[in-house]
């Protein structure tokens, strides 16, 4: 289930807010005791979201071809998954 | 990876698949995205790694770590020719072919690296991949120029690769369809 945005916020503003969240989750995973595969795939997928956020932030006109709000929802969901569920994963891996 | 990590990554990947689909929905749309080649490239890379690590498909794993066995070759170029062992990867790269080896990718990567310190190794890797691809394109063009009849050879190779991938994908889809219908779904 994706989080619904209640008031329309400009895409660039949403992207700017998501950049530090994505950076933070990447750092958390990198510094964790999770398995190397989990860390690796997190960063490889992270590049995709990062490239998207930078494009939205800078207003790349080519993005008119895609549904930016929906893709921002997906990016936000990615952050949510890590912020909510990763802490217990990291604990489990350290045990 | 333990089970907990595996099911966590499954959730991450389900969401990522939806994201990737929103970017590469059809060949026509991917051409519209030519102005953001980095995004296309990044989606292709992300999808290959996710498939390799999360599904454990050995062909996907080999494709994802292509650069380890082939340090001097471009993974993207191999994909464009339909040569990676994982067909989904070949396809993803072929859809985003427009932007590869271009300055736009390098410029985009610089911005990503600036905004995301956590991703410096990944952006370095993509930068190197882009340079390799540029060099290999240049080599192929140089070879081609010796024989005017071969001037379209790179394009022809891509088309041939695309056909190979198409054929193999259709065969695999057929095999999967028969397999799935003959037993209970894994879940």
């Amino acid at each position: 289930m994706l989080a619904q945005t209640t008031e329309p916020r400009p895409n660039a503003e949403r992207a700017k807010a998501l950049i530090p969240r994505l950076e933070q989750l990447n750092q958390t995973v990198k510094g964790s005791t999770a398995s190397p595969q989990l860390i690796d795939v997190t960063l490889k997928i992270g590049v995709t979201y990062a490239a998207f956020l930078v494009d939205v932030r800078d207003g790349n006109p080519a993005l008119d071809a895609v549904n930016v709000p929906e893709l921002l929802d997906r990016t936000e969901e990615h952050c949510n998954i890590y912020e909510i569920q990763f802490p217990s994963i990291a604990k489990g891996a350290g045990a | 990876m333990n089970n907990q990590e595996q099911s966590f990554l499954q959730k991450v990947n389900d969401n990522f698949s939806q994201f990737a689909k929103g970017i590469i929905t059809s060949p026509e749309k991917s051409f519209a995205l030519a102005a953001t080649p980095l995004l296309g490239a990044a989606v292709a890379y992300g999808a290959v790694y996710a498939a390799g690590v999360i599904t454990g498909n050995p062909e996907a794993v080999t494709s994802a770590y292509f650069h380890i066995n082939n340090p001097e070759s471009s993974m993207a170029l191999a994909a464009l020719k339909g040569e990676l062992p994982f067909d989904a990867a070949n396809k993803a790269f072929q859809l985003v072919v427009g932007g590869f080896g271009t300055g736009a990718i390098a410029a985009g990567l610089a911005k990503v690296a600036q905004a995301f310190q956590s991703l410096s190794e990944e952006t370095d890797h993509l930068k190197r991949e882009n340079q390799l691809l540029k060099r290999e394109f240049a080599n192929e063009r140089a070879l081609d120029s010796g024989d005017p009849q071969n001037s379209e050879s790179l394009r022809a190779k891509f088309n041939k690769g695309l056909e190979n991938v198409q054929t193999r994908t259709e065969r695999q889809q057929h095999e999967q369809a028969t397999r799935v219908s003959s037993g209970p779904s894994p879940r």
Side-chain angles (χ1 to χ4, degrees):
Chain A
M1 193 61 201
L2 291 175
Q4 293 297 313
T5 45
T6 45
E7 74 244 34
R9 274 206 287 160
N11 292 333
E13 200 185 304
R14 286 187 69 193
K16 271 185 219 163
L18 285 169
I19 285 173
R21 286 177 66 188
L22 181 60
E23 171 68 2
Q24 181 57 54
L25 80 85
N26 288 338
Q27 294 285 5
T28 303
V29 171
K30 259 183 127 165
S32 76
T33 54
S35 69
Q37 296 103 307
L38 192 153
I39 294 174
D40 199 29
V41 82
T42 297
L43 298 174
K44 296 298 190 298
I45 288 180
V47 173
T48 315
Y49 290 116
F52 171 68
L53 290 177
V54 168
D55 271 342
V56 176
R57 180 197 67 188
D58 296 350
N60 191 325
L63 288 175
D64 292 349
V66 298
N67 187 336
V68 173
E70 196 183 300
L71 293 171
L72 281 169
D73 286 347
R74 290 291 170 191
T75 310
E76 190 161 4
E77 179 65 9
H78 179 77
C79 295
N80 288 338
I81 293 173
Y82 275 90
E83 286 164 3
I84 297 166
Q85 299 182 34
F86 185 74
S88 69
I89 300 286
K91 236 176 259 162
Chain B
M1 266 196 304
N2 59 36
N3 288 343
Q4 206 189 0
E5 287 187 328
Q6 194 80 40
S7 72
F8 172 78
L9 278 185
Q10 196 61 57
K11 277 175 222 155
V12 171
N13 191 42
D14 287 347
N15 187 60
F16 179 70
S17 305
Q18 294 303 315
F19 177 84
K21 267 184 216 153
I23 288 173
I24 306 181
T25 51
S26 67
E28 300 84 70
K29 269 202 174 165
S30 74
F31 289 124
L33 268 177
T36 60
L38 174 60
L39 190 51
V43 166
Y45 280 98
V48 176
Y49 282 101
V53 174
I54 297 166
T55 69
N57 176 326
E59 292 176 337
V61 174
T62 312
S63 300
Y65 295 99
F66 177 83
H67 64 280
I68 293 175
N69 293 322
N70 305 275
E72 290 305 315
S73 299
S74 158
M75 171 174 166
L77 188 62
L80 295 177
K81 292 178 183 173
E83 289 173 357
L84 287 185
F86 187 55
D87 282 337
N90 290 322
K91 255 198 157 149
F93 280 104
Q94 284 158 0
L95 286 176
V96 296
V97 59
F100 279 111
T102 64
I105 287 205
L109 282 172
K111 284 195 207 175
V112 173
Q114 202 174 27
F116 293 90
Q117 287 177 10
S118 60
L119 298 172
S120 59
E121 280 168 40
E122 280 66 34
T123 50
D124 281 352
H125 171 68
L126 287 176
K127 245 184 260 173
R128 178 167 157 69
E129 173 75 26
N130 198 47
Q131 280 163 358
L132 278 172
L133 190 60
K134 215 159 125 186
R135 201 180 67 200
E136 290 187 39
F137 268 132
N139 287 344
E140 298 243 10
R141 283 197 195 103
L143 282 175
D144 290 349
S145 66
D147 180 354
Q149 280 199 315
N150 277 341
S151 63
E152 288 297 310
S153 78
L154 193 60
R155 170 61 53 193
K157 274 181 203 164
F158 288 166
N159 289 341
K160 203 159 165 243
L162 208 53
E163 279 169 30
N164 287 343
V165 170
Q166 192 64 40
T167 316
R168 278 188 284 169
T169 309
E170 278 166 10
R171 202 185 58 218
Q172 280 180 354
Q173 279 170 348
H174 177 72
E175 281 168 9
Q176 269 169 8
T178 10
R179 205 179 315 142
V180 167
S181 61
S182 66
S185 68
R187 177 126 255 275

